[in-house]
Amino acid sequence: MTDFQFETGKEFAVAMDARDPLSDYRNRFFIPQHAGQDCVYLSGHSLGLQPKSAAAYVQQELDDWAALGVEGHFRARHPWMPYHDLLAEQTAAVVGAKACEVVVMNSLTVNLHLMMVSFYRPTPSKHKIVIERGAFPSDQYAVKSQLHYHGYDPATSLIELTPRPGEACLRDDDIVSLIAHSGNDIALILLGGVNYATGQAFDIEAITQIGHAKGCIVAFDMAHAVGNLQLSLHECGPDFAVWCSYKYLNGGPGCVGGCFVHERHAHSTHLPRFTGWWGHDQESRFEMPSTFEPMFGAEGWQLSNPSIMSMSVLRASMDIFHEAGMGQLREKSVSLTSYLEFLLHANASAKFSILTPKESTRRGAQLSLRIRQHGHKLCDKLAEEGIVGDWREPDILRVAPVPLYNSYRDVFRFVQRFSELMV
Ligand SMILES: *Cc1c(COP(=O)(O)O)cnc(C)c1O
């Protein structure tokens, strides 16, 4: 719960923006335009906005490619061969890991499969996978296909955590007790850091602890958590985590994703893994040896030489994250989302409810609103006015004020028009 003192008037939003130490960061991003004005963009959980600096970062690589051709691998201003290293420290800082535990590569679902190849090791007596009911479809497909691949049937080997009747979110206690109860059969626990639909943040530390006590591999899909929550993956200790970089991390559509492998597995060369040359020891990679020797840590899971253009955009955004700091960003985020919640409560109506947990420790920036009737139409009407949330069938409007580029006035304007347009 929060102890903020909010007020309902517009002057309050204006005053909060004036006092916000992060307010200038908004000017570092392109805000989509509508009728000559900034949109109220509340879809950063879906696609983050473009840093104005991104073009220069990409241009640098285009220029080096033009001037140097293949030599750019070694002689570019930021040589392409170790280019992903430029992102390691900042990525580690954002997820609370050591640099050797993270790597930027591929895209989320690909990384999820690569990780499951190594860490989902079912046996006849311990083969089940735990996910959230209604997990993001790609995660469901990936997990079910892994079960099939190993000869198991999702009908009997997949456990889907389900909220209690009449509740929208899972109770932390229920998750822990299910694992405590059924953990002996469970090979892998894979939950979202933040559930994409409800916005619920899970207790990574508690789930990891009980999962490990039961001998399970514990993993998180951080798509909606990275760049949103203040994380400490190393200390909380899950075995692996994966994420994409185009949501809160503003890496641009289809941007290269990320992966965390806990340090305890850094030397686990016995783990089966799907390998490629970019995961091979950097010293001898270009000697083209026929025997694979993995790089130390998460980098050893790389397959291919990565997209420099895509990573250059991500660098532009990560430099901004580094400057602002996750601590400050999260502080503003908690305040901004609490303000959104406060205004929604002030305009309470039987026509909608908030699904996301009330406690700020159990959510990130996003609030999910269940709209009883005609919600899709409402979402469309808002969009026609340049107020951008997103709609999830059958009845959820997701809105996320993002601390890097959203203002208190954005939140005010959203709630004002939301309440007026609700029929
Ligand atoms: C956004 C998202 C994805 C998208 O996967 P891609 O492989 O990046 O297309 C997958 N899972 C979750 C939980 C997501 O939020």
Side-chain angles (χ1 to χ4, degrees):
M1 297 301 285
T2 54
D3 45 1
F4 295 103
Q5 296 291 320
F6 297 125
E7 295 169 22
T8 52
K10 184 172 182 188
E11 325 73 65
F12 179 79
V14 173
M16 286 298 279
D17 285 334
R19 271 200 285 158
D20 171 13
L22 296 176
S23 61
D24 277 351
Y25 282 99
R26 179 181 175 89
N27 300 320
R28 311 267 290 267
F29 289 85
F30 288 110
I31 310 292
Q33 298 292 297
H34 177 81
Q37 280 197 328
D38 287 354
C39 284
V40 172
Y41 191 81
L42 299 175
S43 278
H45 58 278
S46 188
L47 185 72
L49 293 181
Q50 182 184 148
K52 287 178 180 166
S53 55
Y57 282 68
V58 177
Q59 192 61 49
Q60 175 75 50
E61 304 316 323
L62 289 170
D63 290 348
D64 285 348
W65 178 26
L68 299 166
V70 70
E71 288 292 308
H73 280 299
F74 304 98
R75 288 180 41 221
R77 181 158 168 218
H78 305 295
W80 303 327
M81 203 186 65
Y83 197 91
H84 69 275
D85 283 345
L86 297 172
L87 285 159
E89 290 287 344
Q90 294 179 358
T91 302
V94 162
V95 300
K98 298 187 177 185
C100 70
E101 292 175 317
V102 297
V103 63
V104 168
M105 62 179 188
N106 309 315
S107 46
L108 189 160
T109 311
V110 174
N111 289 339
L112 186 52
H113 275 299
L114 290 177
M115 289 293 106
M116 285 195 283
V117 162
S118 293
F119 293 105
Y120 175 54
R121 309 295 304 148
T123 64
S125 62
K126 196 173 180 65
H127 55 81
K128 294 188 180 173
I129 302 181
V130 176
I131 60 172
E132 306 127 273
R133 190 193 65 177
F136 194 91
S138 199
D139 302 48
Q140 294 188 46
Y141 306 151
V143 158
K144 287 176 187 166
S145 68
Q146 288 279 339
L147 284 168
H148 284 304
Y149 179 72
H150 286 280
Y152 294 98
D153 180 357
T156 47
S157 296
L158 188 62
I159 302 177
E160 297 184 271
L161 292 168
T162 306
R164 293 188 185 191
E167 297 184 10
C169 294
L170 292 161
R171 297 193 190 188
D172 290 332
D173 291 349
D174 287 353
I175 301 174
V176 167
S177 65
L178 176 124
I179 298 167
H181 218 88
S182 312
N184 293 340
D185 301 342
I186 297 168
L188 171 66
I189 298 162
L190 173 70
L191 300 181
V194 172
N195 180 276
Y196 84 102
T198 64
Q200 175 177 14
F202 294 110
D203 187 338
I204 294 176
E205 190 167 21
I207 293 168
T208 302
Q209 258 177 27
I210 184 70
H212 283 169
K214 287 288 172 180
C216 316
I217 290 287
V218 184
F220 289 88
D221 181 327
M222 305 301 282
H224 284 261
V226 63
N228 179 14
L229 301 179
Q230 193 161 20
L231 300 165
S232 46
L233 287 182
H234 175 78
E235 273 185 26
C236 291
D239 296 283
F240 73 84
V242 292
W243 57 88
C244 51
S245 303
Y246 47 80
K247 292 170 180 168
Y248 294 96
L249 289 186
N250 314 313
C255 184
V256 60
C259 192
F260 163 89
V261 181
H262 196 277
E263 191 180 28
R264 78 177 73 89
H265 300 297
H267 287 290
S268 304
T269 47
H270 66 279
L271 285 173
R273 66 173 111 186
F274 286 172
T275 53
W277 74 320
W278 225 252
H280 183 90
D281 178 32
Q282 208 159 319
E283 299 303 308
S284 61
R285 184 185 300 152
F286 286 87
E287 290 158 23
M288 308 292 186
S290 56
T291 310
F292 178 80
E293 281 201 36
M295 291 174 83
F296 177 78
E299 288 180 304
W301 272 267
Q302 295 174 103
L303 297 181
S304 301
N305 79 100
S307 164
I308 300 297
M309 299 308 151
S310 173
M311 286 198 299
S312 68
V313 177
L314 183 56
R315 281 187 57 227
S317 177
M318 294 305 283
D319 282 349
I320 298 174
F321 269 91
H322 180 65
E323 219 182 291
M326 230 19 253
Q328 249 200 132
L329 286 168
R330 177 62 181 152
E331 200 176 314
K332 174 175 171 186
S333 177
V334 169
S335 164
L336 208 50
T337 297
S338 301
Y339 175 60
L340 170 61
E341 182 183 43
F342 165 83
L343 287 181
L344 286 167
H345 282 315
N347 290 273
S349 142
K351 291 169 183 158
F352 77 92
S353 57
I354 302 176
L355 301 184
T356 312
K358 292 181 178 54
E359 303 87 342
S360 48
T361 51
R362 295 180 67 219
R363 68 186 186 199
Q366 171 186 327
L367 291 185
S368 299
L369 312 180
R370 173 165 283 148
I371 317 285
R372 305 252 183 277
Q373 279 186 325
H374 313 304
H376 203 162
K377 253 199 213 148
L378 173 68
C379 187
D380 288 348
K381 272 199 249 172
L382 287 166
E384 281 165 24
E385 298 189 7
I387 300 174
V388 188
D390 84 351
W391 183 251
R392 290 283 143 173
E393 294 296 346
D395 57 2
I396 299 180
L397 175 64
R398 300 185 304 170
V399 283
V402 170
L404 268 177
Y405 48 73
N406 283 122
S407 62
Y408 288 82
R409 261 171 296 187
D410 281 341
V411 171
F412 180 85
R413 183 151 159 241
F414 163 73
V415 178
Q416 187 181 39
R417 294 305 291 147
F418 172 81
S419 309
E420 288 167 0
L421 289 170
M422 172 92 60
V423 285

